[in-house]
Amino acid sequence: MYETNFHKAATAQEAAALLNRSEDGKILAGGQTLIPTMKQRLADPTDVIDVSAAADLRGITIAGDQVTIGAMTTHAEVAGHAALAALCPSICKLAANIGDPAVRHRGTIGGSLANNDPAADYPAAALALNARIHTTSREIAADDFFEGMFTTALEDDEIITAVSFTAPAKGGYGKFPNPASRYAMAGVFVAKLADGSARVAVTGAGEDGVHRHDGLEAALSADWAASAVDGVEISLDGLLSDLHGNAAYRANLVKVMAKRALG
Amino acid sequence: MSEGIGARVLRKEDKRFITGKGRYTDDIIESNQAYAAFVRSPHAHARIVSLDASAALAMEGVETVLTGPELVADGIGNIICGWGITSKDGTPMNMGAWSALATEKARYVGDAVAIVVADTKSQAKLAAEAVVVNYEELPVVVGAVEALAPGAPQIHDNAPGNLIFDWEIGDLAPTDAALASAAHVTEMAITNNRLAPNPMEPRSAIATFNEAEDHYTLYTTSQNPHVARLVLSAFYNVAPEHKLRVIAPDVGGGFGSKIYIYPEEIVCLWASMKSGRSVKWTSDRTEAFLTDAHGRDHVSTAKIGFDNDGKIVGLKVNTKANFGAYMSLFSSAVPTYLYATLLSGQYDIANIYCDVQAVYTNTVPVDAYRGAGRPEACYVVERLMETAAREMGMDPAELRAKNFVRSFPHQTPVIMAYDSGDFDANLKQAQAAADVAGFAGRKAEAASRGKLRGMGYSNYIEACGIAPSAAVGSLGAGVGLWESAEVRVNPVGTIEILTGSHSHGQGHETTFAQIVAERFDLPTENIQIVHGDTDKVQFGMGTYGSRSGAVGMSAIVKAMDKVEAKVKKIAAHVLEAGEDDIVIEGGAVKVAGTDKQMLWHEVGLAAYTAHNIPEGMEPGLKESAFYDPTNFTFPAGCYICEVEVDPETGVTEVVQFVASDDFGTIINPMIVEGQVHGGIAQGIGQAMLENVVYDAAGQQLSASYMDYAMPRADDLPNYSVHHASTTCPGNPLGMKGCGEAGAIGSPPAVINAITDAIGNNNLSMPATPAAVWAALQDVSQKLAAE
Ligand SMILES: Cc1cc2nc3c(=O)[nH]c(=O)nc-3n(C[C@H](O)[C@H](O)[C@H](O)COP(=O)(O)OP(=O)(O)OC[C@H]3O[C@@H](n4cnc5c(N)ncnc54)[C@H](O)[C@@H]3O)c2cc1C
């Protein structure tokens, strides 16, 4: 790890101010990505701003069918939240299958969305649930937030404060874990919105990170059933080939995981 | 006696390991300690045009930066290979020079080019990044077959065409004739995937040169500190043997990768002399992937022929073995004498021929990894047998049994003389435990859930207890492979056992104590095992090749024989009885059939006070022995694996794994089961998960746990482990060895089971979900075309 300046912020705004003042600062949330990257000397931030004490970034609030999850809420908190599970069980199940217990008790939803790892789980949920990403300066629709792998609409000194969404009528997540990392080799989040339309987001399988799938959305908007997925052609264009599997295999996984997401 | 041979004694060493109180090399702190970081080549093949360390030397805390040319100028010798192999044409192997720090060329990504020594680890790493090396990149080759192709990049000048040797064993003409006359021939292309060893503790070294005493101390993660000392002094000239102490304290796993003396240890010793500081280096996980010797990496073609009756008439194998960029210490023995000599398997085969081409590539050096050559042999033989049975429409177990060796000793056509075994017993025991009869029902039930169920066998045999010194010497080994032991009975009767074996997870502190407890009828808590320090133990050959039981314990037995004889002489003298009437039991030394006795510790005291011992007898009670085995030992067994495949995803679950092993005498069944569990885990890892992958530029794509899949608990089944043992006639305890069997026997059982499930034999290791799914698509295409 290279030397860095460590700061601890008490609020999101204080963290944003510190970030703004630093030459090349980074927010430290759960540290499950940032710390290993720094230890491998692949990241060299001038300043690290710890937001674990920022109470305004924590917690899950539910108002009717409106869900708001603070950026610093850990995966374990989401996985174990009874009221959320009653309203939107799919996101709890997704969180429960991220990494291992240690990762789930440190890693946060804000860190996961900001990082936008092309194989991470939460980006698929945010995109399929048509979520809104709240930051220290604005609100961004999920459709506008994810801009390709490890890239988001966030400005340099902008911090995610929360993510909110309307609970879907139905939802589910099918994840095929990479045998080594256990991130998603293909993860498909399906959501049936209140108006009956379907949104489907795919993570892990694409060359450029999380994306929506038009074919699956059309099929599921017409008929919310696993059998509807059968007829959908999954194009190999833009799908990832790597040492764990080629595009044809990932296309197959997208289909199978979509069906399994439907339960 | 409850703690003797056969007892499930809990491991004495576990208290310190489980409570975090182990003392590993990285835990050692010397008063004048500095930290090393190595400058490593980012290129797989490149000429070193220039190196500029001036910026690094000017950085805070930097003590020194040292390079290859300086190392050579100081007379530090090139890294050796300990086993000479002669090619078919009688020429010696073509070994290229390996300098501990590269001088003119870097030959793999990670090849060490310079060492930086600084006050802190962080300063050393920063300075290493500031060393400017100008490279001229050269063309790269990573695969053995590609490296042999005409026009391939030339890696070492003295190995033309990258061929290190072209070796053969067995008789070609009779084998060809037998195959030509065979009623059925099964032919296969077989790849044995490259593995990274991944011990939990990464390699580490701390070297201290004491100028006042002209003496060196090296703490290192070694499986054989005595051999390290010998080689460091005799070949690398870092210090004369009597001026060098090597200590391997607690070592967290090795699996072969810590047998070798690596560049880092040599360079740390030399750098300590140059800098006057203690120099510590500890590998991080990435460095471990980039520099720990890898295992396996064979590409073979194999043919086996049968007569009308299903009897094997001949076996012919060609293997191309990838050695990586340099010849590591035992690299040449692995795909030759540890591999082709086991190609007879459990079978009576009259004609065998194998030739092996050893090849340089721009990859990490390859050497022995758990099983070392024997897993590769077992995989060839057992994939062939299962496939042949399918092709001939025979039951795979029946085909095997038809060919079993049943009379011992049995001389194979490939050097080995099997001394004992009962292969039928292992097969039957495994079949009963696996409920083979019920398989069809389980398969049908799985099908009703949409799963494909398959079953596969592996009837392995391996050679352990290496090895008779004269025999291995005649085959090219540079060392003798005996073991030494010293038994010290203290004046109060407690015992220290000094052994040349080295424990790095095997539980020697427990099992070695058990054989002493058995012999002298004492509790194991009175017995201490001392190992891993060249200043304490006289000499030893270390632990690998499952040799600590068959060879290391045999040396202890030989020393105990001498102690027992002396104890009886003293007791006979004191108790005024005949030596033959003395018995040792219940903590006492007694005159049989009388109530005359001395307590065990009274004999110890008598030996050391020497007030009343037989005339002419030397005082004291301490004996040593060197034991040289008379033959290899031959652990064998039958493994049966059952899998279920999800045809939609290719995900394969091992639903049952049965092992029936013949390890000879078992000292501690709990520890033996642990060894089998771990071995099978590594075997399933090789078969289904692990793979070192290089891109065309020689970069390791799998150099972290994000991409290298280690087996985890939920990848593995509950094992069903059984024993059907025959006694090994070759050593005093009748032991065969159990450390590698699991890793040797399991991969073919797994692949045989998966290929059975999916109905396609065209499947290589690792059988990842993607590979299994692709093989399933291949089948449906074939069926559609028909
Ligand atoms: C062993 C292991 C297994 C894992 N498995 C999975 C898995 O299966 N699926 C999966 O999806 N993930 C997985 N992860 C990732 C993990 O779950 C975290 O989601 C991820 O590391 C990021 O969250 P974090 O809180 O740790 O962020 P950090 O590591 O602290 O930060 C990550 C990045 O986001 C930035 N950041 C953090 N918070 C904010 C914010 N509020 N606003 C703006 N920027 C911010 C940081 O500056 C940094 O650049 C795994 C991680 C590990 C170590």
Side-chain angles (χ1 to χ4, degrees):
Chain A
M1 196 181 283
Y2 296 103
E3 261 182 31
T4 190
N5 299 305
F6 181 82
H7 313 267
K8 197 156 187 160
T11 64
Q13 286 306 335
E14 187 193 342
L18 282 163
L19 195 56
N20 188 279
R21 279 204 300 277
S22 67
E23 192 187 323
D24 180 18
K26 283 273 184 209
I27 294 294
L28 176 65
Q32 296 304 290
T33 294
L34 185 60
I35 299 291
T37 314
M38 289 175 69
K39 282 170 85 175
Q40 285 181 292
R41 307 172 87 78
L42 298 172
D44 184 12
T46 55
D47 298 80
V48 166
I49 299 142
D50 178 2
V51 291
S52 60
D56 55 347
L57 293 176
R58 286 209 111 91
I60 300 171
T61 49
I62 293 175
D65 61 357
Q66 295 301 307
V67 178
T68 304
I69 304 176
M72 281 301 289
T73 309
T74 63
H75 310 332
E77 288 171 277
V78 171
H81 199 277
L84 182 58
L87 197 60
C88 184
S90 50
I91 197 163
C92 301
K93 194 186 126 202
L94 174 150
N97 283 308
I98 296 175
D100 51 49
V103 169
R104 291 195 288 275
H105 280 86
R106 297 287 317 171
T108 66
I109 191 167
S112 181
L113 295 174
N115 195 47
N116 192 19
D117 187 304
D121 297 303
Y122 268 133
L127 195 54
L129 292 170
N130 199 16
R132 296 170 297 283
I133 317 295
H134 305 260
T135 78
T136 38
S137 50
R138 59 184 163 147
E139 196 181 306
I140 311 168
D143 279 323
D144 301 324
F145 182 81
F146 301 106
E147 295 185 343
M149 61 164 148
F150 298 114
T151 319
T152 67
L154 286 176
E155 299 292 336
D156 278 351
D157 55 0
E158 195 173 6
I159 297 171
I160 300 177
T161 53
V163 53
S164 67
F165 58 88
T166 306
K170 283 176 179 169
Y173 183 58
K175 173 181 181 176
F176 190 88
N178 177 305
S181 72
R182 303 211 171 166
Y183 276 68
M185 255 182 93
V188 181
F189 203 107
V190 296
K192 184 176 185 170
L193 306 188
D195 66 3
S197 68
R199 279 174 72 103
V200 178
V202 176
T203 187
E207 273 176 331
D208 205 20
V210 69
H211 60 273
R212 288 172 65 186
H213 199 284
D214 297 345
L216 288 169
E217 288 189 355
L220 292 177
S221 293
D223 177 13
W224 183 262
S227 55
V229 172
D230 280 327
V232 179
E233 174 87 26
I234 310 290
S235 164
L236 270 51
D237 285 350
L239 291 189
L240 185 65
S241 283
D242 64 8
L243 69 160
H244 303 290
N246 59 18
Y249 182 58
R250 282 198 164 82
N252 173 67
L253 288 181
V254 167
K255 204 165 192 169
V256 176
M257 291 306 117
K259 284 199 215 172
R260 291 186 185 177
L262 288 157
Chain B
M1 171 101 205
S2 66
E3 292 187 319
I5 292 175
R8 292 178 172 269
V9 178
L10 295 181
R11 291 175 20 130
K12 293 167 67 138
E13 45 273 81
D14 279 349
K15 182 174 177 188
R16 71 175 190 277
F17 292 151
I18 289 170
T19 57
K21 300 285 172 20
R23 191 159 172 268
Y24 297 88
T25 299
D26 193 55
D27 295 326
I28 312 288
I29 293 169
E30 300 280 11
S31 55
N32 191 25
Q33 178 172 306
Y35 293 84
F38 284 85
V39 178
R40 298 188 182 280
S41 172
H43 307 294
H45 199 193
R47 198 165 300 287
I48 301 164
V49 178
S50 65
L51 187 151
D52 180 1
S54 53
L57 279 166
M59 288 169 75
E60 191 192 342
V62 174
E63 182 82 46
T64 186
V65 179
L66 298 165
T67 65
E70 293 164 80
L71 181 100
V72 173
D74 275 7
I76 304 298
N78 284 332
I79 293 174
I80 61 159
C81 176
W83 199 302
I85 297 290
T86 306
S87 281
K88 286 172 188 170
D89 62 6
T91 57
M93 61 190 188
N94 302 320
M95 183 177 166
W98 183 6
S99 173
L101 292 174
T103 51
E104 288 154 23
K105 277 216 293 187
R107 294 181 174 85
Y108 68 101
V109 174
D111 209 349
V113 172
I115 181 176
V116 177
V117 179
D119 289 339
T120 70
K121 200 186 261 188
S122 185
Q123 288 167 344
K125 287 198 172 180
L126 268 179
E129 289 168 4
V131 173
V132 181
V133 188
N134 257 314
Y135 295 98
E136 174 198 336
E137 285 186 62
L138 299 169
V140 170
V141 65
V142 296
V145 174
E146 294 76 12
L148 284 176
Q154 179 71 35
I155 298 168
H156 289 274
D157 291 342
N158 59 336
N162 301 315
L163 184 66
I164 300 167
F165 58 74
D166 181 3
W167 172 89
E168 65 181 350
I169 190 169
D171 292 322
L172 178 58
T175 304
D176 277 340
L179 287 168
S181 70
H184 179 87
V185 174
T186 290
E187 192 168 354
M188 293 178 80
I190 292 173
T191 301
N192 207 288
N193 45 326
R194 178 185 276 244
L195 304 176
N198 283 302
M200 196 180 285
E201 180 205 20
R203 288 192 294 121
S204 179
I206 174 161
T208 302
F209 173 59
N210 180 334
E211 198 188 355
E213 293 180 14
D214 191 24
H215 184 275
Y216 291 79
T217 303
L218 174 69
Y219 285 88
T220 182
T221 47
S222 175
Q223 298 178 218
N224 48 352
H226 304 276
V227 177
R229 182 170 87 144
L230 168 65
V231 173
L232 283 163
S233 65
F235 297 97
Y236 306 151
N237 310 318
V238 285
E241 207 169 349
H242 65 298
K243 294 284 189 186
L244 172 61
R245 177 182 184 188
V246 178
I247 303 163
D250 284 333
V251 174
F255 311 113
S257 72
K258 292 173 181 167
I259 299 173
Y260 326 115
I261 298 95
Y262 285 89
E264 290 84 1
E265 290 124 58
I266 302 168
V267 174
C268 283
L269 278 165
W270 173 65
S272 177
M273 184 271 286
K274 298 292 270 192
S275 66
R277 302 282 298 266
S278 286
V279 176
K280 176 186 270 186
W281 168 78
T282 299
S283 169
D284 61 29
R285 193 53 70 180
T286 308
E287 263 180 315
F289 274 105
L290 293 182
T291 65
D292 289 4
H294 287 169
R296 320 280 195 257
D297 205 344
H298 285 193
V299 177
S300 301
T301 55
K303 269 188 200 181
I304 189 165
F306 298 85
D307 69 12
N308 274 321
D309 198 29
K311 297 278 279 184
I312 304 167
V313 295
L315 169 66
K316 185 178 179 183
V317 182
N318 170 263
T319 294
K320 306 209 173 0
N322 191 336
F323 272 45
Y326 300 102
M327 289 188 77
S328 178
L329 190 65
F330 285 118
S331 57
S332 54
V334 175
T336 51
Y337 293 107
L338 292 175
Y339 164 68
T341 54
L342 274 307
L343 284 172
S344 198
Q346 297 188 353
Y347 314 111
D348 184 4
I349 309 179
N351 302 292
I352 299 178
Y353 176 81
C354 175
D355 65 343
V356 178
Q357 287 83 45
V359 190
Y360 278 126
T361 62
N362 295 117
T363 61
V364 175
V366 176
D367 206 324
Y369 165 73
R370 201 168 192 174
R374 291 151 290 161
E376 295 91 315
C378 177
Y379 191 67
V380 166
V381 174
E382 291 305 296
R383 286 287 289 132
L384 283 172
M385 290 303 280
E386 196 92 3
T387 302
R390 289 176 195 163
E391 288 176 358
M392 294 189 286
M394 286 182 70
D395 179 87
E398 228 170 83
L399 179 67
R400 287 175 168 92
K402 213 180 246 299
N403 288 284
F404 277 162
V405 169
R406 290 199 173 82
S407 80
F408 298 91
H410 172 84
Q411 179 63 54
T412 72
V414 280
I415 298 180
M416 292 301 177
Y418 300 161
D419 58 2
S420 60
D422 185 346
F423 306 144
D424 292 288
N426 292 121
L427 175 63
K428 283 188 189 127
Q429 186 179 49
Q431 285 186 311
D435 182 22
V436 170
F439 174 71
R442 295 193 294 277
K443 190 177 169 79
E445 188 279 327
S448 75
R449 290 182 280 112
K451 295 286 172 67
L452 307 170
R453 195 158 174 131
M455 186 170 72
Y457 287 84
S458 168
N459 290 58
Y460 76 91
I461 187 162
E462 55 139 338
C464 285
I466 52 173
S469 298
V472 293
S474 75
L475 300 176
V479 287
L481 288 168
W482 41 262
E483 195 47 85
S484 81
E486 188 175 309
V487 177
R488 285 187 195 159
V489 183
N490 295 318
V492 293
T494 55
I495 298 179
E496 279 133 22
I497 303 293
L498 287 75
T499 170
S501 299
H502 186 275
S503 187
H504 33 279
Q506 294 87 346
H508 292 172
E509 289 168 46
T510 307
T511 51
F512 285 21
Q514 283 182 257
I515 64 167
V516 181
E518 170 91 16
R519 172 66 79 95
F520 298 130
D521 211 356
L522 297 169
T524 55
E525 66 176 24
N526 289 8
I527 300 152
Q528 188 72 20
I529 307 300
V530 179
H531 70 101
D533 183 343
T534 60
D535 263 12
K536 292 182 180 165
V537 180
Q538 195 209 333
F539 207 91
M541 297 311 297
T543 290
Y544 40 84
S546 308
R547 66 192 303 276
S548 301
V551 190
M553 285 195 196
S554 294
I556 297 171
V557 169
K558 294 293 178 192
M560 287 196 297
D561 289 346
K562 298 180 190 174
V563 168
E564 181 176 333
K566 189 164 182 179
V567 162
K568 286 184 169 169
K569 279 201 175 76
I570 294 171
H573 174 78
V574 174
L575 300 173
E576 294 171 343
E579 271 170 57
D580 294 344
D581 295 330
I582 303 290
V583 292
I584 302 174
E585 63 184 27
V589 184
K590 301 174 176 168
V591 181
T594 74
D595 59 0
K596 290 210 291 187
Q597 67 168 43
M598 293 174 79
L599 294 176
W600 171 261
H601 67 83
E602 289 171 341
V603 183
L605 201 59
Y608 284 93
T609 57
H611 296 161
N612 183 19
I613 57 175
E615 205 175 319
M617 177 182 272
E618 287 178 17
L621 196 49
K622 178 187 107 165
E623 299 288 350
S624 64
F626 282 67
Y627 173 78
D628 199 356
T630 53
N631 190 359
F632 290 86
T633 64
F634 298 95
C638 176
Y639 290 175
I640 303 177
C641 176
E642 237 172 274
V643 298
E644 277 186 14
V645 176
D646 174 355
E648 287 190 327
T649 59
V651 166
T652 303
E653 189 188 349
V654 177
V655 289
Q656 179 172 282
F657 200 104
V658 171
S660 167
D661 295 295
D662 177 358
F663 295 143
T665 303
I666 288 171
I667 307 296
N668 183 327
M670 179 196 75
I671 284 180
V672 168
E673 284 158 18
Q675 289 288 314
V676 174
H677 289 191
I680 297 172
Q682 279 178 310
I684 292 176
Q686 165 160 36
M688 298 177 62
L689 294 155
E690 299 182 47
N691 203 21
V692 173
V693 180
Y694 281 95
D695 70 8
Q699 299 291 338
Q700 249 187 76
L701 299 178
S702 53
S704 86
Y705 293 138
M706 292 298 283
D707 291 299
Y708 190 90
M710 290 293 284
R712 282 174 255 198
D714 64 359
D715 292 315
L716 302 166
N718 274 322
Y719 308 107
S720 167
V721 175
H722 310 267
H723 301 289
S725 296
T726 59
T727 301
C728 177
N731 60 63
L733 291 168
M735 299 177 68
K736 298 192 179 185
C738 67
E740 296 156 296
I744 292 167
S746 54
V750 175
I751 298 298
N752 287 337
I754 301 175
T755 52
D756 179 49
I758 65 176
N760 182 351
N761 207 33
N762 187 14
L763 182 71
S764 290
M765 298 191 291
T768 60
V772 172
W773 182 81
L776 277 162
Q777 308 318 301
D778 191 26
V779 173
S780 51
Q781 273 167 23
K782 255 192 257 160
L783 291 177
E786 271 163 15

